[in-house]
Amino acid sequence: MLIAFTGQVALAQYNYRWGNQHRQRVEMIVGGDFVVTMNDAQPVIKNGAVAINNGKIVALDTEDKILAAYRASKRLPGEGKVLMPGLVNGHSHTAMVLFRGLADDLSLQDWLQNYIFPAEGQFVNENFIRVGETLACWEMISGGTTTFVDMYFKPDVAARVVERCGLRAVIAPSSIDFPSPGFRGWDDAFAAAVDFVKRWKGRNPRIIPALAPHAPYTVSPEHLTQAIQAARQYDVPLTIHLAETQTEVQDIQQRYNATPVQHLENLGFLESRVFAAHVVWPNESEIALMAKRGVGVIHNPDSNLKLASGFAPVPAMVQAGIQVGLGTDGAASNNDLDMWEAIRLTALIHKGKSLDPTTLPAKTVLRMATLGGAEALGLADKIGAIKVGLQADLIQVDLTSAHLTPLYDVISHLVYAAKAQDVDTVIVDGQVLMSERQVFTVNTEQIRREAIRIGEQIQAELRPSN
């Protein structure tokens, strides 16, 4: 018996050593009861896992097969969780979290001209951007956003914050024809934006510099042409607000005898490097034109509803083949950076508008929040799906809460029931930014204190004197 037992131990030790020697070493293995890949080749893997090395996905399969083929120094179990791509927030003005709730229940033009533009001129400085950007990164990490677009001011400050916080971002300094924080007008603002693009392109793979002429109604035709020519010259993305309100459509029609989309087409502006925010009021021919030109569109249901801008024809745009992603817009007009709200609203409002419950099914909307957003931004070769060779930008969503019990269809749950607080783990470029709801890359108590102080200062200075 002793000889037999000794032989069994020796055989087990041999098999253990042999197995370890022949399993490929990777940095991390992450699991999930469900791996929702957004990859048509392997849409949902039950009891799955992903192997990660050098910030990239090297394998995905059932957990048993991954563990048989790979060994890792770090393993994140997936019991009770969904593993899926991180969310892509395709349009935000990130540091505007510090204006959250400053001016509500107003039309877009009233909100911008009489409240936001003056407040920005008075309060936006480097410290405002540092604190606001960090607060926003904390909020987005907590909600499972791994990539976002920031169309705002002082891009160097924003980029340094994103570097520290670990997220991926398209940083697009806003350029406009009239004075903005730190600038007299278009010439110096746009020159600074181009300088930022030249200095940051290729500097950090998680920071994608871009150009952002604000909108057709705030930027002249000559300057719009200058912006798209510079985007081509430096081979960077360009983002713009477009056809957001009926007022904008009427204004551009009066000025240039064309609708906003046709106005940009007349300038030779529309092409695949461009992604437009809102696009609430395109007509049928303009939808076909944007599809033909490869223009991406970012749908922002929260702010479109809050500012009463209208209902974007998202189903028609998707049907036409436009790459449509989702965004939160800035927290001054939303009032948060919660992509799960954008997901749920998108799935619901277009059903109500069309009176057709089959409009924009759950899978389509979840794709818009992940791979669709990546496609709209021109980043689908890097992010948006769980696929070998893509960056490991992943989240785990906890399924154990009451509002996610029982479970029949995991994608239905993610679209119609999941909430930001259900996100348990966030990984970007293979680095864990949050685990068990603890954010590792932001000093949350300190940034909360600093944000409160800035809010108190803004409130005191805006308070009418007696």
Side-chain angles (χ1 to χ4, degrees):
M1 289 292 294
L2 180 60
I3 295 173
F5 177 75
T6 303
Q8 290 171 358
V9 170
L11 180 60
Q13 290 174 338
Y14 172 81
N15 286 336
Y16 175 78
R17 293 192 189 100
W18 187 92
N20 274 339
Q21 287 172 356
H22 288 79
R23 286 189 298 162
Q24 182 179 334
R25 177 172 287 281
V26 293
E27 293 168 355
M28 189 186 311
I29 293 174
V30 188
D33 282 352
F34 301 89
V35 178
V36 176
T37 68
M38 308 314 300
N39 173 7
D40 289 339
Q42 297 170 287
V44 177
I45 303 171
K46 291 185 178 180
N47 300 315
V50 171
I52 299 167
N53 206 47
N54 295 323
K56 291 189 174 183
I57 298 165
V58 297
L60 64 155
D61 211 319
T62 62
E63 185 177 55
D64 288 346
K65 290 181 179 178
I66 291 294
L67 293 179
Y70 298 92
R71 55 193 175 115
S73 53
K74 185 176 186 63
R75 185 179 166 204
L76 298 179
E79 289 81 8
K81 294 171 184 157
V82 176
L83 180 63
M84 62 177 287
L87 304 180
V88 178
N89 184 348
H91 182 65
S92 69
H93 311 286
T94 316
M96 290 184 82
V97 289
L98 293 177
F99 291 143
R100 194 193 315 264
L102 178 67
D104 289 331
D105 306 324
L106 301 165
S107 70
L108 174 63
Q109 294 303 321
D110 186 14
W111 177 80
L112 273 177
Q113 300 291 343
N114 298 319
Y115 295 89
I116 296 305
F117 286 158
E120 287 175 336
Q122 185 173 353
F123 299 111
V124 172
N125 55 33
E126 289 198 358
N127 188 59
F128 180 102
I129 298 296
R130 178 188 63 82
V131 174
E133 195 82 15
T134 309
L135 179 64
C137 285
W138 172 20
E139 182 176 351
M140 287 189 285
I141 292 169
S142 298
T145 292
T146 53
T147 295
F148 68 98
V149 175
D150 186 14
M151 184 186 189
Y152 210 49
F153 305 111
K154 309 215 178 278
D156 286 283
V157 179
R160 288 193 293 269
V161 170
V162 173
E163 281 190 312
R164 289 195 302 271
C165 293
L167 288 173
R168 191 181 306 279
V170 177
I171 308 268
S174 185
S175 302
I176 201 163
D177 277 358
F178 47 81
S180 57
F183 300 112
R184 296 181 300 276
W186 173 267
D187 289 342
D188 55 344
F190 186 67
V194 170
D195 180 62
F196 170 76
V197 164
K198 287 159 47 174
R199 287 185 292 104
W200 278 85
K201 186 177 179 184
R203 177 168 163 178
N204 183 320
R206 288 188 290 103
I207 309 290
I208 301 98
L211 295 173
H214 177 263
Y217 61 91
T218 54
V219 178
S220 71
E222 296 78 14
H223 293 158
L224 289 170
T225 300
Q226 186 180 359
I228 191 62
Q229 289 174 345
R232 292 178 190 135
Q233 179 181 351
Y234 297 107
D235 192 23
V236 294
L238 184 149
T239 186
I240 187 170
H241 298 92
L242 182 62
E244 184 173 358
T245 65
Q246 288 181 307
T247 300
E248 176 190 339
V249 174
Q250 294 162 3
D251 180 26
I252 298 303
Q253 188 78 51
Q254 289 173 357
R255 289 196 216 176
Y256 308 116
N257 195 31
T259 60
V261 175
Q262 188 61 51
H263 174 54
L264 294 188
E265 170 68 6
N266 294 344
L267 295 174
F269 191 96
L270 299 180
E271 58 184 70
S272 60
R273 75 176 67 253
V274 173
F275 57 96
H278 299 290
V279 197
V280 179
W281 294 101
N283 60 39
E284 187 175 337
S285 65
E286 290 171 328
I287 290 172
L289 176 61
M290 288 188 292
K292 181 179 179 180
R293 296 286 184 252
V295 174
V297 169
I298 305 300
H299 178 44
N300 299 269
D302 301 73
S303 65
N304 290 349
L305 290 171
K306 185 164 182 268
L307 294 168
S309 298
F311 299 92
V314 173
M317 288 193 276
V318 171
Q319 181 68 29
I322 294 175
Q323 306 297 349
V324 180
L326 299 183
T328 61
D329 208 350
S333 60
N334 183 321
N335 291 16
D336 56 38
L337 303 177
D338 185 349
M339 281 289 291
W340 298 97
E341 285 184 1
I343 290 169
R344 192 163 186 262
L345 276 176
T346 299
L348 294 179
I349 62 176
H350 298 288
K351 290 172 170 54
K353 181 72 165 55
S354 66
L355 301 180
D356 180 359
T358 68
T359 299
L360 295 184
K363 182 180 178 182
T364 299
V365 177
L366 191 63
R367 190 184 189 282
M368 290 166 64
T370 52
L371 183 57
E375 290 171 340
L377 306 185
L379 297 176
D381 61 334
K382 296 180 176 63
I383 62 167
I386 301 180
K387 185 178 180 181
V388 172
L390 297 191
Q391 300 301 128
D393 290 12
L394 309 171
I395 62 175
Q396 287 180 319
V397 180
D398 192 296
L399 291 170
T400 61
S401 295
H403 63 275
L404 294 172
T405 306
L407 188 153
Y408 302 108
D409 183 322
V410 64
I411 292 177
S412 170
H413 263 23
L414 291 171
V415 171
Y416 296 116
K419 304 180 187 305
Q421 60 264 32
D422 296 318
V423 178
D424 176 89
T425 304
V426 174
I427 301 165
V428 176
D429 253 3
Q431 301 300 310
V432 180
L433 309 187
M434 181 175 79
S435 181
E436 296 180 345
R437 299 289 302 160
Q438 181 181 354
V439 177
F440 301 125
T441 57
V442 177
N443 185 332
T444 56
E445 285 304 313
Q446 177 183 328
I447 209 64
R448 183 173 181 274
R449 288 194 299 269
E450 292 187 70
I452 289 171
R453 280 199 296 270
I454 290 175
E456 290 171 345
Q457 175 193 356
I458 291 172
Q459 189 171 35
E461 294 193 28
L462 292 181
R463 185 181 296 122
S465 56
N466 295 326

